[in-house]
Amino acid sequence: MKYHIGQDRKLISRYCGRMKKMLNHHEKRCHIKNLSIEINDFPGGPDGFELVLRFCYNHGRIPITVSNVLILHCCALYLGMTEEVLSNNLLQQTETFLEGIYYWTWNEILVSLKSCELFYTYADKFGLLERIICALLAKIAQNSDVNLLTSSSPSSPESNSNKRFSFSTQVTPKIIKSSFPNKAWWFEDLATLPPKIIEKFLQSIGAYKTDNNNLILTRFLLQYLKTVTPTRKVSCKKSSDSEYAGLAETAAYGVISVGNSTFSCRGLFWVLRIVSRFGISRDCRIEMEKLIGGMLEQATLDDLLVSGHHMGLYYDVTFVIRLVKLFVDINGSDVQKLKKVGRLIDKYLTEISPDQNLKISKFLGVAECLPDSARDCFDGVYRAIDIYLEAHPMIAFEERSRLCRCLNYNKLSFEASKDLAKNPRIPPRIAMQALISQQTNIPSSEFAIDESEIMSPSQIILYYEDNSESLLEEKEDMRVNIERMQWRVNELEKLCREMKVQMSRFISHDV
């Protein structure tokens, strides 16, 4: 900021000690009465300097309010407007005004805090932020009574004007920290403050990043971050690039501290989605993923469908693989939980298979991250493979065989095996293996026929005519059994014919 000094030199020098030194130095060096000086990083910029000029031109008087007291105080310290220069100086006047800070209303404190955004560095350097935040915390503690805790619609401090609260200078944020109300009436008001102020607020009470174990503060931060997400542009290329990164990490560690006792699996996914937009550290993400992975059996397909940004993938497949591996490490001995997650992953595979950018290695990574015991049936995996091959028709023959390695042919249903055998997208060698495995799974007793027990149709009719009155139920059972046996024989004949076709395809391919 450049300021032209003319006839104002003596007037400004009378109130500003630092400005007087600067002007004298420039006059001696330049020998010019009318000169201009350049001041960098002046508190509040031109607006702050204008307030100082008003003070000087008004013979050391200016209306001091909650909205300008902090910037005037910073300007007074910056320009040396102290008692050494003048008895009734600006610094003394602002100090007198700040002595009543604990008698300010809730809204006055908020107005004063918001004004700090333009000169945050100086407000923090001169200890003003600490003082105003202590007053804010005092107001919160003042209204942490039984009525507010039990009220369904708690009111702000402005409705309790008769409850003026007098704080001594010995009050500190640490003393107030334990008295946060469960009914957070202050959420919406504090959500209007800039992130730097919120960050300082958390640091003042020792609840920043890994130190946060306060559920009320955590809920506030999640609401705050959710509010700013759609309205403010946030750079998330690196954690340090985002002014909200520290707040996001603080919220995450608050969730981690209470664990799954307070947040459901879906709630944890929601939290991770919010904080990930602003950038969190690797250690913080690992802890969050451990928490989610430990209760993955409660997740739904919608929870796993997290948007991806790597290699053009529509969904974040690597994230799901990490979660499943963490789940197996924590719950690998619980068969019921494993099977529940197995069914979930089969649905997930079906959902991601059409993605044109999904590589076979990623598909296999998802399919094979669970042990074989997690699936009673591999029909879901086969359906996902079929969808993948249909969406990626240009895959080489060898790659198709590699894709099918995640199948357990012994756990394919009879219908799935038949469909696989007829599927032109499946390599013949794979189809042959599946059919052979399926054949060995069919109990021989199902198709074993004792020729001595086979009766001709006439024998069966005569037998039942002689015993029609006493064996009606047995007659019906026999009829059903014969029909079922004939159907199974027909199915076996079809299967044999299909095996012959596949064998011929396999032999011709090898040739």
Side-chain angles (χ1 to χ4, degrees):
M1 182 183 69
K2 185 174 289 188
Y3 180 70
H4 295 277
I5 305 294
Q7 299 299 324
D8 304 328
R9 183 178 63 83
K10 291 182 179 180
L11 182 64
I12 295 175
S13 300
R14 181 184 176 189
Y15 296 100
C16 307
R18 182 179 178 185
M19 185 69 78
K20 182 178 180 180
K21 292 180 181 179
M22 292 173 63
L23 292 172
N24 290 336
H25 175 73
H26 278 74
E27 282 187 9
K28 290 179 180 179
R29 191 177 65 175
C30 302
H31 304 288
I32 301 175
K33 292 287 183 179
N34 297 323
L35 50 83
S36 63
I37 59 172
E38 187 170 342
I39 305 175
N40 296 319
D41 300 325
F42 190 84
D47 293 336
F49 197 76
E50 182 180 348
L51 289 173
V52 172
L53 289 179
R54 287 182 185 178
F55 175 82
C56 296
Y57 278 104
N58 201 30
H59 307 292
R61 292 189 304 270
I62 189 172
I64 299 178
T65 64
V66 293
S67 60
N68 68 14
V69 63
L70 298 185
I71 189 171
L72 286 173
H73 191 84
C74 290
C75 291
L77 287 171
Y78 184 87
L79 294 174
M81 303 173 74
T82 63
E83 193 172 350
E84 297 176 357
V85 180
L86 194 68
S87 57
N88 189 24
N89 55 81
L90 182 58
L91 184 61
Q92 182 183 1
Q93 293 180 37
T94 55
E95 278 287 0
T96 302
F97 190 91
L98 288 170
E99 286 176 1
I101 193 172
Y102 289 107
Y103 294 95
W104 293 2
T105 66
W106 172 258
N107 286 334
E108 287 174 339
I109 293 173
L110 289 176
V111 168
S112 187
L113 266 177
K114 290 177 185 177
S115 70
C116 292
E117 187 174 12
L118 296 176
F119 52 97
Y120 175 86
T121 303
Y122 288 105
D124 188 24
K125 177 182 177 181
F126 297 144
L128 292 176
L129 277 177
E130 189 77 18
R131 293 172 67 175
I132 197 74
I133 286 173
C134 280
L136 180 78
L137 292 170
K139 288 295 180 183
I140 294 176
Q142 174 187 355
N143 290 273
S144 300
D145 54 20
V146 177
N147 292 333
L148 283 175
L149 290 173
T150 57
S151 173
S152 59
S153 57
S155 59
S156 71
E158 303 309 317
S159 63
N160 286 331
S161 58
N162 61 325
K163 294 174 62 179
R164 284 290 183 178
F165 193 77
S166 177
F167 254 75
S168 70
T169 55
Q170 295 179 348
V171 174
T172 63
K174 290 184 179 180
I175 296 175
I176 303 170
K177 181 181 177 182
S178 61
S179 59
F180 277 114
N182 289 331
K183 295 289 184 179
W185 49 263
W186 42 271
F187 275 22
E188 291 185 5
D189 290 333
L190 261 62
T192 61
L193 297 175
K196 286 184 178 180
I197 304 296
I198 299 297
E199 195 169 286
K200 185 65 179 179
F201 170 78
L202 297 170
Q203 291 170 347
S204 298
I205 58 176
Y208 187 61
K209 290 193 175 182
T210 56
D211 295 327
N212 178 29
N213 57 7
N214 189 300
L215 183 58
I216 297 295
L217 287 176
T218 300
R219 286 174 175 168
F220 162 69
L221 286 173
L222 290 173
Q223 177 176 312
Y224 181 77
L225 294 172
K226 179 186 175 183
T227 302
V228 301
T229 298
T231 57
R232 301 191 186 184
K233 294 181 179 180
V234 179
S235 173
C236 297
K237 293 180 180 179
K238 294 182 180 179
S239 175
S240 59
D241 290 340
S242 172
E243 58 183 342
Y244 296 92
L247 300 182
E249 196 157 317
T250 302
Y253 276 115
V255 173
I256 293 167
S257 67
V258 297
N260 54 18
S261 60
T262 303
F263 291 87
S264 64
C265 186
R266 169 156 289 188
L268 292 175
F269 272 104
W270 176 77
V271 170
L272 189 58
R273 279 187 174 97
I274 288 180
V275 299
S276 296
R277 295 170 184 172
F278 303 99
I280 55 176
S281 66
R282 182 175 179 274
D283 291 340
C284 182
R285 173 173 284 277
I286 288 174
E287 292 300 319
M288 279 293 298
E289 290 181 0
K290 283 182 181 179
L291 203 57
I292 298 173
M295 54 195 302
L296 193 61
E297 76 280 358
Q298 300 177 24
T300 64
L301 178 60
D302 288 339
D303 295 331
L304 298 185
L305 298 178
V306 178
S307 298
H309 304 286
H310 181 65
M311 302 295 290
L313 289 175
Y314 194 75
Y315 296 117
D316 193 345
V317 177
T318 305
F319 167 65
V320 174
I321 294 174
R322 290 199 304 268
L323 290 183
V324 176
K325 288 182 178 180
L326 287 168
F327 170 80
V328 173
D329 291 341
I330 299 171
N331 301 295
S333 58
D334 193 324
V335 178
Q336 294 302 319
K337 288 184 177 180
L338 276 175
K339 290 182 178 180
K340 196 169 184 179
V341 173
R343 292 190 291 271
L344 175 63
I345 293 303
D346 286 354
K347 293 178 182 177
Y348 181 73
L349 277 171
T350 303
E351 187 70 26
I352 66 173
S353 293
D355 191 341
Q356 294 295 319
N357 294 315
L358 181 65
K359 294 184 177 181
I360 291 179
S361 59
K362 288 295 183 183
F363 183 99
L364 292 174
V366 176
E368 296 176 343
C369 59
L370 282 169
D372 193 73
S373 58
R375 295 183 177 93
D376 290 328
C377 180
F378 271 72
D379 286 12
V381 180
Y382 166 66
R383 283 193 294 270
I385 290 175
D386 190 31
I387 294 172
Y388 184 90
L389 291 175
E390 185 176 4
H392 302 77
M394 303 306 294
I395 294 179
F397 185 84
E398 294 77 10
E399 291 296 290
R400 293 171 184 245
S401 298
R402 185 165 74 96
L403 180 66
C404 294
R405 79 181 189 193
C406 60
L407 283 173
N408 184 336
Y409 306 119
N410 293 318
K411 288 188 176 182
L412 283 173
S413 69
F414 186 68
E415 291 299 325
S417 295
K418 288 202 309 175
D419 186 78
L420 186 150
K422 296 181 290 185
N423 194 334
R425 291 182 287 271
I426 301 295
R429 186 192 302 272
I430 301 300
M432 188 67 183
Q433 291 176 357
L435 290 172
I436 292 174
S437 299
Q438 185 64 35
Q439 186 182 19
T440 59
N441 285 339
I442 300 175
S444 58
S445 59
E446 294 285 346
F447 300 96
I449 303 174
D450 190 345
E451 294 182 0
S452 63
E453 295 181 359
I454 297 179
M455 295 184 289
S456 66
S458 60
Q459 289 176 312
I460 293 176
I461 293 172
L462 288 173
Y463 176 81
Y464 278 100
E465 284 179 349
D466 294 338
N467 300 277
S468 58
E469 294 181 359
S470 60
L471 301 174
L472 289 176
E473 293 183 1
E474 292 186 15
K475 177 182 177 181
E476 181 64 21
D477 290 342
M478 177 65 74
R479 185 185 65 79
V480 171
N481 288 334
I482 290 175
E483 290 179 356
R484 184 166 60 244
M485 185 181 298
Q486 289 175 343
W487 179 83
R488 288 184 178 272
V489 170
N490 290 335
E491 288 295 322
L492 185 59
E493 289 176 350
K494 290 180 182 179
L495 183 62
C496 291
R497 287 195 298 269
E498 290 170 355
M499 288 178 63
K500 290 180 180 179
V501 173
Q502 292 294 335
M503 288 179 67
S504 62
R505 286 172 55 193
F506 176 69
I507 293 171
S508 61
H509 177 76
D510 286 347
V511 173

